[in-house]
Amino acid sequence: MAAVTGAARGLGGLAARRRMGLGYAPAVTAYFTFHLSAHVQPFLANAASEPWGMVGSFLALTAMPIVWKVSKALSGLPYGALIRGGVTLGSGAFLYEPGGELATGFLTAQDIDPSYWVPFGSGLAAAGLSWWLIDRRISHLPWPIACALRIPTTTIALSLGQFVLPS
């Protein structure tokens, strides 16, 4: 009897995977029907042509919350919040261009092509973040709404595949 229960459980898992695949099918259809890659491809092309800008943006956006937390002592000063905001924005602006150029120079020195890996990494991060923020939280919604909300993740993932894979 235990074998039958295990087999039934395995079929149930297969059905769940099929349901997940069917959930993404309308998003794939919308991607190809409305040519949604036109909205993502310029982002990836820009990351390939000027990878330092994408890496610099990542460094700046990563450092700014850290600087905001570290500069909490400035809040006690007169106009402390304004000074704290200026320090945070200034650090982000300072890290943007020099940090991006330094990081892409380091990648190039390691024989890593930033014009390929920066768009790939940023597209993968965007697809993962979209899945994390949207797709994993929509299982309780009605099926048509859940399918519509899967369109951003599908668009990013398929555009990334078209951009990175050779034609």
Side-chain angles (χ1 to χ4, degrees), residues 6 17 19 33 47 57 62 84 88 96 115 129 133 144-145 155 160-161:
R17 278 185 244 131
R19 281 194 308 269
T33 302
S57 298
T62 304
R84 188 176 178 195
T88 303
Y96 171 67
S115 66
L129 189 62
L133 293 174
I145 296 171
T155 299
L160 180 64

Side-chain angles (χ1 to χ4, degrees), residues 68 74-87:
W68 180 259
L74 296 175
S75 296
L77 297 173
Y79 302 106
L82 186 62
I83 294 170
R84 188 176 178 195
V87 167

Side-chain angles (χ1 to χ4, degrees), residues 88-125:
T88 303
L89 290 175
S91 67
F94 175 74
L95 280 175
Y96 171 67
E97 189 171 346
E101 289 177 357
L102 184 67
T104 52
F106 176 78
L107 290 174
T108 305
Q110 304 301 319
D111 291 331
I112 298 171
D113 182 18
S115 66
Y116 175 81
W117 288 105
V118 170
F120 179 73
S122 61
L124 199 59

